[in-house]
Amino acid sequence: ALLILTTSFTRIVIIFSFLRTALGTQNIPPNQVVIGLTLFLTFYVMGPTYQEVNKVSVQPLLKKEIKLDQAVARGEKPLRQFLLRNTYQADLKLFHNMRKEKPKDAESVSLLSLIPAFVISELKTAFVVGFYLFIPFIIIDLIVASALMSMGMMMLPPTVVSLPAKLLVFVLANGWATLVTAIVSGYR
């Protein structure tokens, strides 16, 4: 849970789930593909942070240049910076207020406040992106349903016609590349 919740995994997997629902495809792409793509994008986004953790913490520990407690303290800094850069200040303030903390600077922010604030920020961002994903597909659904009703084709389910239309629009708009670019560039 700690590895999933302190990385970009949560936001990415939720966005892909919203996309699948917005398209109207319950199991396409399959869960294994969604999770696999999410994992690789998470590795891509988290790469610079984990390279820094490896450089300042893991390698010195493996070379026995520092002790475990020093390695943990050093490794925490790059992760803390990533979490702080991608956490909404309002969410962080919420948890500071609940814990009655008043940190002086970024170094003194408690991880017990920072991690849940980061998770809530990720959820909020994923839901906002999900909302924007739904809009064009809902419009396609409405247009198809209106056209079918106006032609008197009430026995034909609108999803039979709108699903291929939504897939076509998504593919023609280069949807996967656009969405992945937006997700990755959303991290600082």
Side-chain angles (χ1 to χ4, degrees), residues 107-126:
E107 296 295 320
S108 62
V109 173
S110 164
L111 284 178
L112 293 174
S113 295
L114 181 56
I115 292 172
F118 172 76
V119 173
I120 287 178
S121 295
E122 290 290 280
L123 290 171
K124 187 184 303 181
T125 302

Side-chain angles (χ1 to χ4, degrees), residues 16 19-21 23-31 34 167 176:
F16 286 156
L19 173 66
R20 194 163 59 180
T21 304
L23 282 169
T25 58
Q26 276 67 26
N27 295 317
I28 304 295
N31 285 334
V34 170
L167 291 174
W176 286 110

Side-chain angles (χ1 to χ4, degrees), residues 6 14-15 20 30 40 43 46 52 64 70 90-91 98 104 115 130 133 156 158 160 164 167 173 179 181:
T6 59
I14 290 172
I15 289 171
R20 194 163 59 180
F40 279 108
F43 295 149
M46 298 302 297
E52 183 67 19
K64 302 202 187 295
Q70 292 172 310
D91 294 334
M98 285 195 299
K104 296 175 181 86
I115 292 172
L133 279 173
L156 181 64
V160 171
L167 291 174
L179 183 60
T181 302

